Amino acid sequence: MSTDTAARSVQRRVRSVPIHRALPKLVREPAGALAEFAREAGGEIVRLELGPFRPYLVSHPDHVQQVMRLEWTNYQRVGMFWRPLERLFGHSIMGDGEQWRISRKVLQPMFTTRYIATISEEVSRRVAGRIEEWDRYARDGRSFDATTEMSNILSYIVNRVLFGDKLDREDGESIIPAFDTVAHSLVYRFLMPFMPYSIRVPRDRALLKAVKRIDDVVYPIVRRAMAAPDDSTDVISVLCRSTDENGDPLTVTQIRDALVSVYAASSETTAMVITWVWLLLKEHPRVAARLQAEIDEVVGDGPARPEHLPGLAYTRMVLLETLRLYPSGWLLPRQVMEDAEIGGVRIRRGSTVFICPYATQRLDDFWERPDEFDPERFATGDGERRHRYSYFPFGGGPHKCLGEHLFYVEAPLLVASVLSRFRVAVPTPGPYPTGWAASLRPRQKVDLGVSFAGRDRAGVA
Ligand code: HEM
């Protein structure tokens, strides 16, 4: 369907997917199912009949733009999908309304391109330090779990941005599994959205315990930082010096909520994208060879440093295309605040709409060979011809991701540092379907193996 057709559409009956089709597909592979329904409907709105819960799937770029930007105040991050998250995030940047506005205003200046440039040196040192630790895998020939290791590295980087030197490595590592437990436990709440909180659902206890573990680490650091404010540039120090609109200092809970929200939004999302990079490279040896050639030329023996970033154009194209096929923020639910109309379909107040970058970014009308991995799509200048909302892995409108600039520093540094030091192998055989999780991840556990690049080149390994 063209943009014109969407604009001219008149009120009409909405297509729907019956429960006997929708449910089994969603349970098996939710992102794939939504992409299939969106494609069958040619980008028109689709209603998913899931018994008492009947959300709308919105995938045409015009409609996405309407929900995320033009009429965003009518599509809020509240309701059954967001309420369970409050147990972890509290009321902060990952919500909506007043608290979101305050947090966004305070946090935004810390994630600009210029600000991120000031910490890129430190980010590259952290990446390099962690990558060197893979030497032990290369020496022993042992493989390791890709998603866990990527999460560990990304958390280590993000912790620096958030906490500076106020969080030691041991505490930092201890909260990674707690966040993982939260992410997995919340799935049950999402699957049973009508269940009141007074009734326990599976893994509720694990969830509360994990949140307590996170709080036990984060609250004392916040209290210490508030008691002895300094002029450091890490997020916690800046938050301690910040005030709200009335000029009052932020409370300990506001600071805790902001830190925990940004941590959750940042580390797993990036870690999963890099995990997909290794899987895609395995399946596309020609892309892998070209990427390797660029990294050999620009970075040499490594590690990658901020000054290499401008030369890593193809690395960036590979990341952009990975984000098209596997956007970690694959499901962005919104609640409709007042009766609305999208693409000629009347939508009642209180309904849920699903925005799914995974589905939109695979629509045939906007992407040639949509399921094919082809970084060339992102060769310079090509983006100008695309609809702004046919590609939105970082969301759009006022809720647009704060971490995009950080991503474009940490992700190329990580990929280039790994490939300048090692050759990566993926012993786990494909295909790699997507699983059920807050951030799009492979369904099965995926192993990685590394060998020393230098020795490979010399033909020793
Ligand atoms: C590949 C990496 C990432 C992806 C794909 C991603 C994706 C997204 C998406 C789609 C949203 C919009 C959510 C919505 O509209 O409901 C978002 C919001 C957000 N992201 Fe990211 N993100 C990534 C990395 C990061 C990083 C590194 C940070 C760290 C600072 C971050 C911080 C945030 C925050 C704070 C928000 C909430 C913004 C708001 O609602 O005002 N993200 N992200």
Side-chain angles (χ1 to χ4, degrees), residues 170-196:
E170 198 183 319
D171 273 345
E173 284 182 357
S174 79
I175 56 174
I176 300 171
F179 273 96
D180 211 41
T181 304
V182 173
H184 284 98
S185 309
L186 280 173
V187 168
Y188 289 89
R189 278 279 159 201
F190 291 143
L191 291 174
M192 291 177 246
F194 299 107
M195 197 67 84

Side-chain angles (χ1 to χ4, degrees), residues 92-247:
S92 182
I93 185 102
M94 290 315 284
D96 239 316
E98 184 63 7
Q99 285 303 327
W100 164 74
R101 217 162 41 75
I102 296 174
S103 330
R104 174 105 195 170
K105 208 166 153 207
V106 174
L107 288 167
Q108 198 152 13
M110 282 174 266
F111 293 98
T112 57
T113 323
R114 193 193 290 179
Y115 193 88
I116 296 301
T118 65
I119 57 166
S120 56
E121 195 60 52
E122 170 82 24
V123 168
S124 71
R125 270 201 300 275
R126 286 212 156 202
V127 170
R130 286 302 301 251
I131 302 289
E132 277 176 26
E133 293 179 17
W134 287 10
D135 284 10
R136 66 181 189 276
Y137 296 125
R139 271 194 298 269
D140 304 353
R142 250 188 315 137
S143 56
F144 53 90
D145 179 8
T147 55
T148 308
E149 190 58 33
M150 294 307 131
S151 298
N152 287 349
I153 296 182
L154 267 309
S155 301
Y156 184 63
I157 297 167
V158 166
N159 282 342
R160 165 66 187 82
V161 178
L162 293 179
F163 297 97
D165 52 10
K166 297 177 179 69
L167 173 72
D168 62 35
R169 182 164 168 176
E170 198 183 319
D171 273 345
E173 284 182 357
S174 79
I175 56 174
I176 300 171
F179 273 96
D180 211 41
T181 304
V182 173
H184 284 98
S185 309
L186 280 173
V187 168
Y188 289 89
R189 278 279 159 201
F190 291 143
L191 291 174
M192 291 177 246
F194 299 107
M195 197 67 84
Y197 278 82
S198 50
I199 298 177
R200 286 269 159 100
V201 303
R203 295 192 64 90
D204 252 3
R205 199 185 295 274
L207 181 136
L208 295 175
K209 212 171 135 195
V211 173
K212 182 169 180 312
R213 173 72 200 130
I214 293 164
D215 284 347
D216 285 347
V217 170
V218 176
Y219 268 123
I221 300 175
V222 176
R223 290 208 180 87
R224 274 200 300 277
M226 288 174 87
D230 58 32
D231 57 1
S232 312
T233 52
D234 46 74
V235 173
I236 186 170
S237 303
V238 177
L239 289 174
C240 288
R241 298 194 295 269
S242 299
T243 52
D244 65 15
E245 283 157 323
N246 305 321

